[in-house]
Structure formats: structure tokens, C-alpha cells
Amino acid sequence: MCGIVGGIGKCDFRDYVLGGLKKLDYRGYDSAGLAYVKEGKVNLYKTPGTVEALASKVPAFEGAEIAIGHTRWATHGDPSEVNAHPQFSQGRLVYLVHNGVIENFRALKTRLKARGYSFLSQTDTEVIADVLEFHYLTNGKDALKAIRETEIDLEGSYACAIIFEGDEHLYFMKKGSPLLIGVGDKAMYLASDCLPMIKLAKSYVDLSDGDYGCLSPEGLTLYNEGRAVEPVYSERKIDDYDYDLRGYPHFMLKEIEEEPMVLSRLIDNYFDPESGEYLFDPSLLKAMKEADEIIFLACGTSHYASLYGLEFMEFYGKKASSYIASEWAYHPISLSKKPFYVLLSQSGETADLIACQKIINDEGRPNLAIVNVKDSTLSRRATYSCLIYAGLEVAVAATKSYIAQIGLMALLLGALTNSSSPVRHLEKLGEAIEDVIARKEDIHETAKKITGARDAFFVGRGSDYSAALECALKLKEISYIHAEAYAGGEIKHGPIALIEKGTPVFGLISEVDTALPLRNNIEEVKSRGAATYIVSSLSLSSGKDAFVTKDVKPYLNSFLKVVYGQYLAYYVSLEKGLPIDKPRNLAKSVTVE
Ligand code: AGP
């Protein structure tokens, strides 16, 4: 949520800032803005809407010395020009862009009002600018002192890039929201992630919470809690490969079709075929074995992936539960004596999950973060961390990361049970996904039939119910069709009242024990007018099914139904002409509660 780009030194800043904001737009936003310093003067441009709309307002500005840019996902106040960032202080001495939420902004506003400040916007960010200005003026225009004192005043999360009018440096501060420094040839950069800088930066510094400091064209000066800190430089972070559409029209399509490759990369990272050994940290496996309950916590798609983790732990004979992180954070009850927590998150920055992890860490309980982003907040704070190696996922709708999360949990099951079988099973799953990919046009044809639907339902039993939940989430988030998942047996207990003539209902069949009752459920809705589509596994299929997936191991069969659901959502959105990779109101990484 919210993207920050900034830099100082010799650089084509118009290109870097606008291009960089474009690269960050996967995070989700509804307004954009930038400020640059030329000949000591700050120039400001902001707009509701897109980066393209901003670009049309911004003239060429060769020779600028400093620039900052921002994409804003509205939290306080509507997505208007006045609320867009950069925000500036009352005396126009401070301009800043911010990602995060200032929890005590109302109290700070009251204090500032008593000091004669008034406000133009509804944002919490404007308050930061004014607090900074107040401390700047009371500290003889010492920007670093002003930042330190502001940090003490602020409660909440922030990553900020800050310009002080008349000062030759670019300042920053960070707590709870990601911010990265990039070291260039004749310039220094900063951004919410490395994407805007990958062509310019030779190395990076991942800022830690409490870090603040300033950039000059020659380098970085870093402090934490008032003390100078030696920066830790790391090499290039990602491959351009991930941020290249490679001929695909959308990242979502590219990412679905990377799933087989992602599974084999995952296996390569966690299994050594020579020795037949898994490569997990032995102390992680020990801690999981010793636990009396495995508790999964996650949000959205990651939560639906965790339902499989729960099932795998039950195969292993371990008591397991799965909770929505935003619920558990307010009711963190565990009756177990020795719980072990598994936190699943593509981004590793999801605020609700970070709140859970704080509770867990405060209790001194072991936890494993399963993330896609190396060095993300969750992984840094976890007792153990496993990367899913899905590669950068750009589309807001999670696809390959979901498959990789489940793949990783299947490999963990293999390691816990000393069985290499999951490796072979995942290889077969990859081949079966290739088969779905090869027949995607059949799914496209079905998608065309449901584009006009108001509602759609996905029905499954057992693991197919977990798959149905993810299929419904995919359809609603990118096609804007109201979609729900139901456990087959529940249909008669209420949802059947929603069935009208032509309502699309998808029945998912992967399990031998529930195949027949599920078919009966589908017959019941069909006889009430629903347009039904059965997606079944080959050995459980009938000639009339809409789509049939290859047979893989029974515990993996239902994932192929999710791949079907991913394509279905993609094609419905395509047919409706919607912004597939950046659906309205959504952000890739949900860094606010
Ligand atoms: C997935 O398609 C969604 N965009 C969303 O539900 C996402 O899975 C959720 O916000 C959790 O994100 P995380 O995996 O980065 O923690």
C-alpha cells in the first residue's frame, strides 16, 4: 500500500520518479504526486487518479537535484488532490511522502492547533510535516534533530522521504513500513521496494525500524535512536525477469503460467536429490515435532493456503488450527501448552499478521514465517523463516504464491515424516498444471458465459471447500462478480435461496468420498435453475463435466481446481475489460490494519 520513490544527485528524475511509481503501482493506489528541488526551490505536482494523469501535469525538469514521488492508497480522507502526497507543512519548510498510519494523529493535531497550526488535508501525513516543521524551527533548523524528536512524538507506522526547503539533503525515517536505500553511481535512491531502482542501484540498504538519516549524492548517513549506525549493504535484490511481462498481456496470466516452474524451483531449494534429504533447518523440524499444536495464521489467499497446511498437519497426526490473523490478533487464545505458530504471507508485510507475531514473540513462542519476500518484516522477526521462491508477484491477485505456499507445506510434511514422496507428488502436480494451461481456452469459453452474472457460487466438500474459498476470492477480487464458496452440505441450509435462473454454480470434485454427495448438491441447484459447471478429477469425472483435471495424489487434486478458478477469474475480467493486475480498491501488500 502506498509507494515511495525518491533520489538525490545526477539522475533523470522525471523518468526515474514517474517510471518508478509505475513499477510500484501493483501495491494499489488512488492518487499520485511528486516534488522536486531545482535551484533550491521545491516544485509540487499532485493528482487524484493514475500516474499517467500525474505525468500529463508534470513538465520536464532536467537539472533537478532532489525528487520524491508517491502513490497513495487512501486511508485518511478521500483520494483527492489535496490529500495526495507530498504533503507539506504550514510554513512550507517540509515536504514529505509517507507510507503507514499515524495512530495518534488526532492528539498531535490538537497539540499543533494549540500552537497555531491549521490543516488543509484530512490526512495523518500532513500532521507529520507540521510536527517536523515545529521541531525543525525549535532546533535551529537541524533536520536530523527534528526527525529524531518527531519520531518520539509519532505512534504508528511510517516510511517517509522528506525534503526540508533550502536543505541540500534528502531525509528519511522508517518504522513499521518498508523502505530501501539504493546506491547508484552519481546518485542515491530510496523506494518502498527495489523495483524502481533495479536498473540504477548497485547495492541496497534495507532500513530497520527506527532508522532515520539523510542522503547526499555521495552517500548515506544513518542513525537509529540518536546513535550513528553503520549501514549494511547488500547486492542486487531481484531479477528483471520478474518485472518483465515476457510477451504476456498481464502479470496475472504470466504468474499463473509460472506455477509449474515455481514448484520445481521450490523443490530445488528444499530437497537434495543426491542425498534424498530435505534442506529445512533441523531445529525448525524439532520445534514443530515437539509442539502440541500447530497454529496457522494468515489473511486472504494466504489464509486459504493455510487450510491445506492444517490438513497436512492432521495427516502428520498433529493437532492443528487455522485462524484469520485479523481475528486472532484480538482473541489470541491458545489452550495448548506448547503451540508452534506458522505465519503465511506472500508479502511478509501484512499488518494484521505482524500484530499477531508481536503477541507471539512477546509470549516467547516459536514461530515460522513462510513468505515470498526475503528480509520482509515477518521473516526478520520470526524464529524461523522459509522463502517460497515464487519470484516477484506483481498482479494484486495472488496465484503462484498460493501454489508455492502449499508446495512448501507439503515439503515440510515430507521432512517431518521422513518421506520423499511429496517431492514426486509436487513434480506430478506441476505436470498436471501444465495440462490445465494447455487447455485454458476451454476455461475462457466458460468465462464468456458468466461475464454478465451478478453472483456466482463455488461448492466443494473437504479440500474442495478450501479450493472453493480461493476460487470465489479470485473471482470477486478481479471480476467484481459477487462470488461465495459453500461447503456442499450447507447449500440446503440457506444459500439455495439465492439460486435464480442462470446463476452460475461451480461444483469442485477431487475427493472420492465426497464426489457423489457433491454431485447431488449440484443437481439440487440445477433443478432450481442454476447454470452448473462441474470441475472434476479424471478418475471421478463424468462425460458431462465442464472441465476435467488430471489425477494427482488425492491430497493435491483440489489445487488443480484452484488453477481452474484462477484462469476463470482472469478470463472473466478480461472479457469485462477490467484492470486485471490492479483491481479497484485493492493493494498488493496490506500494510495497514
Ligand atoms: C490475494 O489475491 C489477495 N490480494 C489478498 O487476499 C492477499 O492474499 C492478502 O492480503 C494477504 O497478503 P499476504 O499474503 O501478502 O499476507
Side-chain angles (χ1 to χ4, degrees):
M1 277 173 169
C2 298
I4 292 177
V5 180
I8 180 166
K10 278 215 175 332
C11 171
D12 178 348
F13 280 122
R14 191 179 189 281
D15 193 48
Y16 163 61
V17 172
L18 291 169
L21 292 179
K22 233 8 248 153
K23 287 184 174 172
L24 291 178
D25 68 4
Y26 73 91
R27 300 169 74 88
Y29 73 102
D30 34 41
S31 57
L34 65 78
Y36 64 87
V37 181
K38 193 171 170 188
E39 289 156 10
K41 187 177 165 299
V42 181
N43 300 269
L44 180 67
Y45 296 89
K46 308 199 281 184
T47 182
T50 61
V51 174
E52 286 79 2
L54 177 66
S56 69
K57 278 183 145 186
V58 180
F61 52 90
E62 293 95 21
E65 300 110 39
I66 303 175
I68 56 176
H70 190 262
T71 45
R72 171 175 183 256
W73 191 86
T75 56
H76 297 71
D78 60 355
S80 59
E81 181 170 333
V82 73
N83 288 331
H85 301 197
Q87 288 288 315
F88 50 87
S89 59
Q90 182 163 284
R92 290 205 166 227
L93 288 175
V94 180
Y95 293 77
L96 67 85
V97 292
H98 166 222
N99 177 15
V101 173
I102 301 305
E103 282 153 14
N104 61 339
F105 86 101
R106 284 192 185 83
L108 292 171
K109 223 171 181 175
T110 309
R111 253 156 65 186
L112 287 162
K113 275 184 185 160
R115 289 169 181 154
Y117 278 85
S118 57
F119 302 90
L120 296 173
S121 77
Q122 290 99 53
T123 65
D124 51 342
T125 304
E126 187 182 4
V127 173
I128 312 177
D130 286 326
V131 175
L132 277 165
E133 182 175 272
F134 173 77
H135 289 304
Y136 189 55
L137 291 174
T138 50
N139 280 288
K141 293 199 171 178
D142 182 329
L144 288 168
K145 261 195 190 155
I147 293 175
R148 175 68 193 129
E149 290 186 9
T150 300
E151 279 200 326
I152 293 165
D153 286 345
L154 298 180
E155 286 168 21
S157 57
Y158 47 83
C160 295
I162 312 156
I163 293 171
F164 288 87
E165 168 102 19
D167 191 296
E168 290 173 352
H169 297 89
L170 172 58
Y171 293 83
F172 59 84
M173 58 181 184
K174 180 237 167 341
K175 185 185 147 202
S177 298
L179 194 62
L180 200 66
I181 306 292
V183 182
D185 268 336
K186 291 180 180 148
M188 293 290 289
Y189 306 97
L190 54 75
S192 303
D193 70 36
C194 61
L195 279 180
M197 312 185 274
I198 44 178
K199 295 221 162 71
L200 299 167
K202 297 175 296 187
S203 60
Y204 298 93
V205 178
D206 256 310
L207 295 180
S208 301
D209 282 350
D211 280 355
Y212 67 98
C214 65
L215 302 178
S216 70
E218 292 77 36
L220 154 71
T221 310
L222 191 60
Y223 296 88
N224 194 300
E225 293 190 353
R227 281 183 295 276
V229 172
E230 203 50 50
V232 179
Y233 296 91
S234 62
E235 290 308 299
R236 195 180 173 84
K237 303 208 85 182
I238 60 159
D239 208 308
D240 286 6
Y241 180 91
D242 288 319
Y243 201 74
D244 192 328
L245 275 165
R246 308 257 143 190
Y248 282 93
H250 300 99
F251 281 105
M252 184 177 176
L253 188 64
K254 172 178 177 260
E255 288 161 5
I256 294 172
E257 300 192 0
E258 283 173 357
E259 286 170 1
M261 184 258 285
V262 163
L263 282 177
S264 71
R265 187 158 64 197
L266 190 66
I267 294 168
D268 289 348
N269 276 287
Y270 287 103
F271 186 74
D272 176 6
E274 303 250 309
S275 62
E277 300 279 326
Y278 285 95
L279 305 172
F280 290 104
D281 177 349
S283 62
L284 159 67
L285 301 176
K286 185 167 178 281
M288 290 184 81
K289 282 178 183 167
E290 284 172 357
D292 59 1
E293 184 179 9
I294 307 290
I295 300 175
F296 292 88
L297 298 167
C299 305
T301 290
S302 295
H303 170 61
Y304 296 146
S306 80
L307 300 177
Y308 285 97
L310 186 152
E311 201 177 294
F312 295 170
M313 285 304 122
E314 286 170 354
F315 293 159
Y316 174 51
K318 194 61 98 181
K319 184 176 173 222
S321 3
S322 166
Y323 298 98
I324 295 169
S326 52
E327 289 295 309
W328 191 86
Y330 287 96
H331 304 281
I333 297 165
S334 163
L335 299 178
S336 306
K337 289 201 174 64
K338 228 174 166 198
F340 183 95
Y341 294 89
V342 179
L343 315 171
L344 279 134
S345 173
Q346 188 285 129
S347 61
E349 300 294 345
T350 299
D352 293 318
L353 201 50
I354 289 172
C356 294
Q357 193 184 39
K358 182 165 185 328
I359 297 167
I360 296 163
N361 283 343
D362 286 351
E363 283 181 1
R365 301 290 192 191
N367 57 92
L368 162 66
I370 297 181
V371 296
N372 194 31
V373 180
K374 190 168 175 282
D375 301 327
S376 53
T377 304
L378 274 171
S379 79
R380 285 201 312 269
R381 295 179 183 172
T383 327
Y384 306 98
S385 176
C386 286
L387 270 183
I388 56 172
Y389 296 103
L392 181 76
E393 192 174 64
V394 178
V396 164
T399 53
K400 61 177 179 174
S401 63
Y402 168 87
I403 296 289
Q405 286 170 333
I406 294 167
L408 184 113
M409 290 186 291
L411 294 175
L412 255 180
L413 175 66
L416 288 166
T417 54
N418 285 322
S419 161
S420 61
S421 304
V423 173
R424 288 192 303 282
H425 301 161
L426 290 178
E427 284 165 352
K428 285 270 173 236
L429 178 67
E431 289 166 22
I433 295 175
E434 294 283 11
D435 173 64
V436 178
I437 295 172
R439 294 182 294 122
K440 63 187 175 191
E441 275 310 315
D442 295 352
I443 309 174
H444 193 167
E445 289 309 310
T446 303
K448 286 179 188 166
K449 294 181 192 156
I450 70 159
T451 46
R454 186 190 57 194
D455 310 298
F457 300 103
F458 292 85
V459 186
R461 287 172 177 245
S463 65
D464 283 318
Y465 175 51
S466 305
L469 287 162
E470 176 56 10
C471 291
L473 177 61
K474 285 287 92 81
L475 190 66
K476 70 184 111 179
E477 71 179 331
I478 65 161
S479 79
Y480 312 154
I481 292 177
H482 167 239
E484 295 299 338
Y486 291 109
E490 282 295 289
I491 290 282
K492 287 196 286 289
H493 297 284
I496 200 161
L498 298 169
I499 300 299
E500 293 174 357
K501 192 166 177 344
T503 305
V505 178
F506 292 84
L508 311 183
I509 300 183
S510 307
E511 291 185 355
V512 65
D513 293 345
T514 57
L516 196 57
L518 202 281
R519 282 193 187 277
N520 291 339
N521 297 140
I522 297 300
E523 278 308 313
E524 287 154 8
V525 293
K526 191 175 179 183
S527 58
R528 282 157 182 87
T532 59
Y533 304 89
I534 289 187
V535 186
S536 58
S537 298
L538 183 58
S539 56
L540 303 170
S541 65
S542 96
K544 289 191 189 138
D545 292 350
F547 196 85
V548 176
T549 58
K550 277 188 167 179
D551 282 318
V552 290
K553 276 286 156 187
Y555 73 103
L556 299 176
N557 264 329
S558 60
F559 305 143
L560 295 164
K561 314 306 180 286
V562 174
V563 181
Y564 177 94
Q566 293 171 347
Y567 269 124
L568 184 77
Y570 173 80
Y571 283 124
V572 173
S573 183
L574 185 74
E575 289 298 320
K576 292 176 86 170
L578 295 172
I580 293 175
D581 288 336
K582 279 172 282 150
R584 70 183 176 208
N585 305 338
L586 293 178
K588 182 69 183 163
S589 145
V590 183
T591 53
V592 293
E593 190 185 342

